[in-house]
Amino acid sequence: MRSRLSRISAAAGGRRAAASQSAGRKLSGWFIAVEGGDGAGKSTQIDALTAWLRKRGFDVVTTREPGATVLGAKLREILLHAKDREPVSARAEALLFAADRADHVEKVVRPALERGAIVLTDRHVDSSIAYQSGGRGLDAADIAALSAFATDGLRPDLVILLDVDPAVAWERSQARGDAPDRLEAEPAEFHARVREMFRSRAAAEPSRYIVVDAGEPAGVVTGIIEDRLEKVLPLSAREVAEAEAREKALREAREAEQREQEARLAAERAEAEQEAERRRAEQEERRRAEERRREEERKARERREAEERARLDREKAEQQRRAEADERAAKVREEEDRRQVEADAEQRRQSELAVRQAEARARGQAREQATRELEERAESEARTARLVEAARRLREASASADAADSETTAVLPVTQGPDKPGDNGHYDDDEDDDDDDDVPRSRWRLGNLGKRKS
Ligand code: Z5A
């Protein structure tokens, strides 16, 4: 497709500009001459190429030299079939072929080229040079100049030379059964020189010639020519239109595809943006949820910490309350213990006091008894100074002891007893005391006094 498209521009530009020219005037068509010896297969290939080119959409005009115009037909008759007449001189022959060519170009070829047709002509100027120069021996430059004059400078764009051995071509012609014309009847050397002139002209200007081995089968020859033409011919108007239509369709398809791709990309971008936005929203929602979770955790932690502090405060208060209660209980127990101790001590003291009082009372009673006995005995004995004195000292001693006991037993009332003095405040002296008793009693009292002092 690319090569065909490039050929569209080539058709519109340089290649067609280089096409048929005549006296500096450009012609839009293509001028192709098919050359070769007799029976090379020119007619056969022109028919095949015409069909092929028309199939591709070209406007194809097939023509020939000599004989394409009314004048040409008469000249052909003179040139090829004038056996019975006077032979035509070589220069006259050249001029007649040139005359035919001039009429042919003016009336057939140029009009066709001007309208853009491809003109396929069976023989043209190369035949004149090949036959009238190569064959007849006229100057090639003179023939070329004569032909240029006849065509007004028009030259074929392309020359297809069907090169074949003249003997082979002769056999083909014989096979058709046609009687050979005046030129066909020329000897083999003539035809060899003709062939050589064709080949030398093609070799001198290879870009304008397609030389095909016409000894190959006709179909093979046609294929070779088509391949070569394919490379140099412009596209037909129809092919150009088709190519332009294809190019337009391709361009529109590409534009549609591009629009579709852009729409798809835009949709993908939009989808990607939506996806990105959705992900951002999800991330934001996750972030907020995480913040809420952390805030709830923080609050829960603070609640737990507050509850823990409250619990600790309660425990501390409870501990303090218990400690205070324990302290109070301890104090109470301590107070109770102290009181108990005091009570026990007091009880013991009271007991001891009672014992001591009892003992004191006993001792007092004993002393009183002893004193009384002593007094009674002193009084009873009454008479001895020593006993009286002893009684007196004993009484004094007893008084001292009583004083001491009184101090000890001050808190206790002195019970009535044998130690209590009588109503007169004196212990009764036992007047009846026996003197015998005085000594032991005094001795006991003194002994007790001595113990108490110690
Ligand atoms: N002449 C000249 O002297 N100076 C000029 O300036 C000009 C012309 C313009 C015109 O003769 C004569 O004028 C010519 C040159 C001279 N004379 N000579 N000699 P013409 O136009 O009437 O005839 P031609 O051109 O010489 O011969 P032709 O019969 O037309 O041959 P052809 O067109 O080249 O061949 P064909 O008709 O296609 O085929 C011939 C037979 O061969 C036929 O049966 C085919 O079926 C067969 N054939 C074709 N190709 C093949 C292949 N490849 N293999 C086998 N068989 C094939």
Side-chain angles (χ1 to χ4, degrees):
M1 174 58 72
R2 186 178 295 277
S3 63
R4 292 176 72 84
L5 289 175
S6 64
R7 283 163 53 200
I8 292 173
S9 53
R15 187 173 294 165
R16 186 157 293 189
S20 307
Q21 294 192 26
S22 175
R25 287 185 292 125
K26 293 180 182 176
L27 301 174
S28 58
W30 265 66
F31 187 24
I32 302 173
V34 181
E35 299 281 6
D38 300 328
K42 298 183 297 298
S43 299
T44 302
Q45 296 304 326
I46 284 172
D47 290 346
L49 292 175
T50 298
W52 175 66
L53 289 170
R54 283 176 176 163
K55 191 175 178 184
R56 285 182 52 183
F58 285 105
D59 176 6
V60 182
V61 173
T62 60
T63 183
R64 67 173 182 173
E65 291 183 14
T69 62
V70 174
L71 174 62
K74 292 180 178 175
L75 292 173
R76 178 184 179 89
E77 181 63 25
I78 294 170
L79 288 167
L80 301 183
H81 304 293
K83 293 178 184 175
D84 301 335
R85 305 170 192 170
E86 182 182 25
V88 179
S89 67
R91 287 180 181 272
E93 185 181 73
L95 287 169
L96 290 174
F97 277 116
D100 169 76
R101 181 161 303 127
D103 202 46
H104 177 218
V105 166
E106 182 174 327
K107 294 177 179 172
V108 178
V109 176
R110 193 179 299 281
L113 293 176
E114 284 176 346
R115 74 165 189 262
I118 291 179
V119 176
L120 286 175
T121 181
D122 186 343
R123 297 192 183 279
H124 191 57
V125 66
D126 283 270
S127 286
S128 290
I129 294 173
Y131 283 90
Q132 275 65 58
S133 177
R136 305 291 186 203
L138 296 176
D139 184 76
D142 288 345
I143 303 300
L146 181 62
S147 185
F149 172 78
T151 64
D152 193 18
L154 180 67
R155 299 174 70 213
D157 298 303
L158 196 65
V159 178
I160 298 171
L161 176 58
L162 301 179
D163 182 47
V164 68
D165 185 342
V168 173
W170 174 260
E171 290 176 3
R172 290 176 183 172
S173 297
Q174 292 302 307
R176 282 194 303 189
D178 296 340
D181 60 35
R182 192 173 59 85
L183 286 166
E184 287 171 344
E186 292 291 338
E189 296 77 18
F190 177 92
H191 290 289
R193 291 195 302 275
V194 168
R195 184 187 186 195
E196 187 55 34
M197 182 58 81
F198 276 131
R199 290 163 64 108
S200 65
R201 284 182 61 78
E205 201 176 2
S207 64
R208 209 166 61 91
Y209 285 78
I210 296 175
V211 181
V212 183
D213 179 4
E216 296 290 332
V220 174
V221 174
T222 302
I224 293 171
I225 294 170
E226 288 177 355
D227 285 346
R228 301 288 296 276
L229 285 177
E230 180 82 35
K231 292 182 176 68
V232 296
L233 275 181
L235 296 179
S236 68
R238 193 182 75 193
E239 287 176 325
V240 170
E242 288 174 353
E244 288 175 346
R246 282 194 298 272
E247 185 185 29
K248 182 181 177 187
L250 184 63
R251 188 173 59 249
E252 289 175 351
R254 284 174 180 161
E255 289 173 355
E257 185 181 359
Q258 187 173 357
R259 285 195 298 275
E260 191 177 322
Q261 187 174 5
E262 288 173 355
R264 191 169 62 249
L265 290 173
E268 288 175 357
R269 276 197 300 274
E271 189 177 349
E273 287 174 1
Q274 284 181 352
E275 178 65 16
E277 181 61 30
R278 187 184 63 76
R279 288 182 181 173
R280 277 197 295 275
E282 284 182 357
Q283 285 181 345
E284 179 63 17
E285 182 55 32
R286 281 198 295 272
R287 188 187 64 75
R288 287 179 180 167
E290 180 65 16
E291 277 186 358
R292 287 195 297 273
R293 187 187 65 76
R294 289 180 179 173
E295 180 64 15
E296 288 172 0
E297 278 186 359
R298 187 185 64 76
K299 288 180 179 176
R301 188 170 59 251
E302 288 179 353
R303 277 198 303 274
R304 287 195 301 272
E305 289 173 355
E307 289 172 0
E308 181 65 13
R309 281 195 300 275
R311 187 184 66 77
L312 291 174
D313 288 346
R314 285 195 303 274
E315 283 186 2
K316 188 176 178 182
E318 179 64 17
Q319 287 176 352
Q320 188 170 355
R321 185 188 65 74
R322 286 178 182 172
E324 289 174 358
D326 290 346
E327 188 177 359
R328 284 195 300 274
K331 283 182 180 178
V332 168
R333 284 194 301 274
E334 186 179 343
E335 181 64 19
E336 288 174 354
D337 290 346
R338 187 184 63 75
R339 286 179 182 172
Q340 184 63 43
V341 168
E342 287 179 356
D344 292 345
E346 180 63 20
Q347 188 175 7
R348 282 194 305 273
R349 191 179 65 79
Q350 290 296 334
S351 298
E352 289 174 0
L353 183 60
V355 170
R356 281 196 299 272
Q357 283 178 338
E359 288 176 353
R361 276 195 303 273
R363 285 192 304 271
Q365 288 174 352
R367 281 192 307 271
E368 185 65 27
Q369 182 65 30
T371 302
R372 189 169 52 249
E373 286 176 0
L374 286 174
E375 285 175 347
E376 287 175 351
R377 196 165 50 189
E379 288 177 0
S380 64
E381 290 175 354
R383 277 78 110 175
T384 61
R386 188 185 52 87
L387 289 177
V388 172
E389 183 61 25
R392 187 189 58 81
R393 288 197 299 267
L394 186 58
R395 186 173 297 274
E396 289 175 356
S398 180
S400 297
D402 288 339
D405 290 336
S406 303
E407 291 174 4
T408 305
T409 62
V411 294
L412 296 174
V414 179
T415 56
Q416 292 291 329
D419 290 338
K420 185 179 176 182
D423 295 335
N424 56 1
H426 302 285
Y427 288 101
D428 293 336
D429 290 333
D430 187 4
E431 295 293 335
D432 296 331
D433 258 354
D434 196 324
D435 290 337
D436 297 335
D437 295 332
D438 290 340
V439 176
R441 195 170 293 170
S442 300
R443 200 180 294 134
W444 179 86
R445 288 183 181 270
L446 288 173
N448 280 344
L449 286 171
K451 287 181 183 174
R452 193 182 302 268
K453 288 178 181 176
S454 63

